[in-house]
Amino acid sequence: MKSIKIGNSNWKASAIALGIMRMNVLDSNKAVEVIETAYKNGINFIDTADIYDLGKSDEVFGEALKKSSLTRDNFYIQSKGGIINNNGKSKSFPEGLRYDFSKKHIIESVEGSLKRLKTDYLDSFLLHRPDTLMEVEQIAEAFDELETSGKVRHFGVSNFNPEQYKLVQSGINQKLMINQLQFSIMHTGMIDFGIHTNMTDNGSISHDGSILEFSRRKNITIQAWSPFQYGFFDGTFINNEKFPELNQKLKQLGDKYDVGKNAIATAWILKHPANMQVILGTMNPKHIEDSAAGGDVVLTNQEWYDVYFAAGNDLP
């Protein structure tokens, strides 16, 4: 498993991370198998969020790590906060549906995550989705307090466009190192826009404000979430009869490199020079092993484009 540099720093982590959003449905023994499989295959980065089943995923991971043969020092652990959507289901958060980047909520989000994860610190904390009511001064005060106390070592954002990123960065003392964005073979808007520059077709529409180019210039690590999904959690494109040409190409390349389709889909993301990190969401140990193998596959430029075409894309 190759390592990548996170942001413009000396922090290096595995190019593939394990997202634990779906860990809430596992018992602790199965969760142990998941995290030990991930680590065995070179994955040393864990991604979570306080909203994942209202903290249940955090709790299962915390228990599993305690029961496993691994320790806190074996992993970098990242959490996200700012989304409130519980409709009174939990006493841990105020009721309602909103985004909340107040100093109070940010600090409470981190402290709640630390308790559930059974750890003293987070390696990174991300603002989960942009809050149009955010006050940068509140974010700055929260980040300063969390950094000074040693509870958070690095900071970033998730699903932010360039101007939102710059707005937050302009008012805080820490360097934002990460932007977590949806990206996969079947979710390529940030690439399509650049390829279709000076055209008038749908591919030329910028939905994200040139976030890919902005991130490359600023040395921001893009963490690609839902790497095997199409649409917005509509399902996986792997072995999906809706995408026969794509799956045929993934199999062809998988046979060439002696890996599975998940590995090729992962390698396709890692091929991009933006130096992205792939976040796996699967809780299936076999799929984790297969996907992790993509960290050692280097596609040719032509193979990368062939996969892009098989997904239904074109060149102007």
Side-chain angles (χ1 to χ4, degrees), residues 10-38:
N10 293 321
W11 179 19
K12 290 187 176 182
S14 56
I16 300 173
L18 179 67
I20 62 169
M21 182 177 72
R22 298 178 177 88
M23 190 167 278
N24 61 301
V25 301
L26 304 183
D27 62 35
S28 59
N29 291 329
K30 289 184 178 180
V32 167
E33 183 183 6
V34 166
I35 64 174
E36 289 190 339
T37 298

Side-chain angles (χ1 to χ4, degrees), residues 124-145:
S124 48
F125 174 77
L126 312 185
L127 301 174
H128 203 159
R129 279 193 176 274
D131 175 17
T132 192
L133 300 179
M134 62 185 170
E135 299 178 33
V136 178
E137 296 81 6
Q138 292 268 313
I139 297 172
E141 290 178 12
F143 281 12
D144 284 347
E145 186 170 321

Side-chain angles (χ1 to χ4, degrees), residues 146-293:
L146 291 169
E147 182 181 48
T148 301
S149 65
K151 293 177 181 178
V152 178
R153 296 184 173 180
H154 306 288
F155 297 87
V157 296
S158 180
N159 306 298
F160 275 49
N161 67 35
E163 289 301 321
Q164 292 164 339
Y165 185 102
K166 288 189 286 186
L167 174 63
V168 174
Q169 184 64 82
S170 69
I172 65 174
N173 295 310
Q174 300 76 18
K175 174 67 177 177
L176 295 174
M177 301 170 63
I178 296 163
N179 195 355
Q180 195 172 112
L181 302 164
Q182 184 176 7
F183 182 69
S184 75
I185 295 169
M186 293 300 301
H187 192 97
T188 55
M190 70 174 78
I191 283 178
D192 301 337
F193 163 68
I195 290 176
H196 288 254
T197 294
N198 200 36
M199 303 295 291
T200 59
D201 55 4
N202 289 336
S204 68
I205 299 172
S206 174
H207 295 279
D208 310 300
S210 299
I211 188 63
L212 178 67
E213 292 77 12
F214 174 79
S215 299
R216 293 183 69 178
R217 286 193 299 107
K218 297 294 185 178
N219 293 312
I220 301 162
T221 295
I222 293 176
Q223 294 180 332
W225 58 270
S226 287
F228 311 129
Q229 297 281 321
Y230 68 96
F232 187 73
F233 294 116
D234 290 341
T236 178
F237 55 78
I238 303 291
N239 296 325
N240 190 322
E241 62 182 12
K242 292 181 179 180
F243 310 104
E245 185 177 352
L246 175 57
N247 276 280
Q248 181 180 3
K249 177 57 64 176
L250 294 176
K251 184 180 186 307
Q252 176 189 346
L253 292 172
D255 290 343
K256 173 183 175 180
Y257 290 101
D258 195 26
V259 296
K261 295 178 182 178
N262 290 60
I264 298 301
T266 300
W268 186 87
I269 296 173
L270 296 179
K271 169 70 176 178
H272 198 280
N275 198 35
M276 300 183 197
Q277 186 180 38
V278 177
I279 301 181
L280 306 180
T282 180
M283 293 290 102
N284 185 318
K286 290 183 179 179
H287 289 169
I288 292 173
E289 184 176 0
D290 178 24
S291 302

Side-chain angles (χ1 to χ4, degrees), residues 23-83:
M23 190 167 278
N24 61 301
V25 301
L26 304 183
D27 62 35
S28 59
N29 291 329
K30 289 184 178 180
V32 167
E33 183 183 6
V34 166
I35 64 174
E36 289 190 339
T37 298
Y39 189 75
K40 179 181 178 181
N41 285 276
I43 296 173
N44 66 1
F45 197 105
I46 301 295
D47 174 73
T48 185
D50 61 4
I51 196 64
Y52 293 163
D53 198 20
L54 301 178
K56 178 65 175 178
S57 295
D58 286 355
E59 293 175 355
V60 175
F61 176 82
E63 290 295 332
L65 183 58
K66 185 177 179 181
K67 291 180 64 174
S68 74
S69 61
L70 304 168
T71 69
R72 172 66 177 86
D73 292 339
N74 291 129
F75 290 108
Y76 296 112
I77 300 178
Q78 168 178 283
S79 188
K80 303 181 290 294
I83 299 177

